[in-house]
Amino acid sequence: METTRRDFLKVAAVGGAAATVFGFDLAPAYAQLRELKIARATETRSTCPYCSVSCGVIIYTIGDKAKNVTPQVIHVEGDPDHPINHGTLCPKGASLEQDILNERRLLKPQVRRPGATAWEDISWDQALDEIARWTKKTRDATFVEKDAGGKTVNRCEGLAWTGGCTDTNEFNYLVVKTMRSLGVCYLENQARV
Ligand code: SF4
């Protein structure tokens, strides 16, 4: 059976038993591991959200095993067992922790009204209502049933959709079905896991 780097360190972590298995002294490495900030953290395997390469990451959290404690992300690194990236991350992926722990992270939908210079926070209910209302209004106003030659085209030229890199295949499937049912031609998304 192949031993991964993570397995190797885990064996060391349970008391240096690996020293006899692998034939050399792991005591210094074991001592260092106990000092690491991730030593008692929970590992959650995930996928970098930034691009379609879909590199595997491990997110380390503490405080998620006790009641009434909000889990706290303390570290994110590449997953060495992941078949795509083997533990490596590009600079953008390596900054993933700052994406999670960032005071400037948006937590609410925002809208910039016509003519306005600033964005305003709105509720999710308000955002959904406004998206539905504007989608209907724009589709009704820009739907083309026949082209200039009288050929039936049934397309909506006033709407476009672009997907984000965190969208899953399932989400993209539903997006394509929904947009095509509206007649939307200008449609882009990103292949994802
Ligand atoms: S680490 Fe870089 S290459 Fe990998 S998925 Fe994230 S952004 Fe893409």
Side-chain angles (χ1 to χ4, degrees):
M1 189 180 75
E2 189 180 347
T3 303
T4 66
R5 182 174 74 95
R6 289 169 65 212
D7 293 338
F8 182 81
L9 288 173
K10 277 179 181 167
V11 172
V14 295
T20 54
V21 176
F22 294 101
F24 55 91
D25 185 13
L26 283 175
Y30 175 49
Q32 188 184 4
L33 183 73
R34 283 195 301 183
E35 299 304 318
L36 291 175
K37 64 179 181 180
I38 60 171
R40 278 184 289 277
T42 298
E43 290 180 21
T44 304
R45 299 183 74 195
S46 188
T47 307
C48 173
Y50 289 135
C51 88
S52 57
V53 174
S54 308
C55 295
V57 297
I58 304 175
I59 299 173
Y60 293 89
T61 51
I62 56 171
D64 41 355
K65 290 188 175 164
K67 287 180 181 170
N68 304 321
V69 175
T70 304
Q72 174 74 41
V73 173
I74 57 166
H75 184 64
V76 181
E77 66 181 21
D79 183 350
D81 296 337
H82 199 278
I84 289 177
N85 56 315
H86 294 272
T88 62
L89 293 175
C90 77
K92 194 170 179 181
S95 69
L96 196 52
E97 183 182 350
Q98 293 157 36
D99 182 54
I100 301 167
L101 305 173
N102 193 324
E103 286 177 1
R104 291 182 297 170
R105 183 174 181 177
L106 296 181
L107 300 174
K108 293 178 182 168
Q110 291 190 322
V111 63
R112 194 176 71 180
R113 306 287 176 197
T117 56
W119 294 83
E120 70 178 86
D121 286 348
I122 57 174
S123 70
W124 285 102
D125 283 345
Q126 190 180 352
L128 289 171
D129 285 348
E130 290 198 23
I131 290 169
R133 192 164 60 248
W134 279 106
T135 300
K136 170 85 168 75
K137 188 174 178 181
T138 306
R139 183 177 184 272
D140 288 351
T142 63
F143 191 77
V144 177
E145 204 174 319
K146 294 185 187 298
D147 65 11
K151 193 173 180 181
T152 301
V153 289
N154 286 334
R155 65 183 179 228
C156 173
E157 299 182 345
L159 292 172
W161 175 277
T162 182
C165 59
T166 52
D167 297 343
T168 61
N169 274 352
E170 293 76 14
F171 181 82
N172 283 327
Y173 175 87
L174 293 173
V175 163
V176 171
K177 290 288 180 192
T178 306
M179 290 300 123
R180 294 290 185 230
S181 71
L182 292 172
V184 172
C185 316
Y186 310 122
L187 174 61
E188 279 290 347
N189 53 25
Q190 189 172 109
R192 215 42 185 144
V193 288

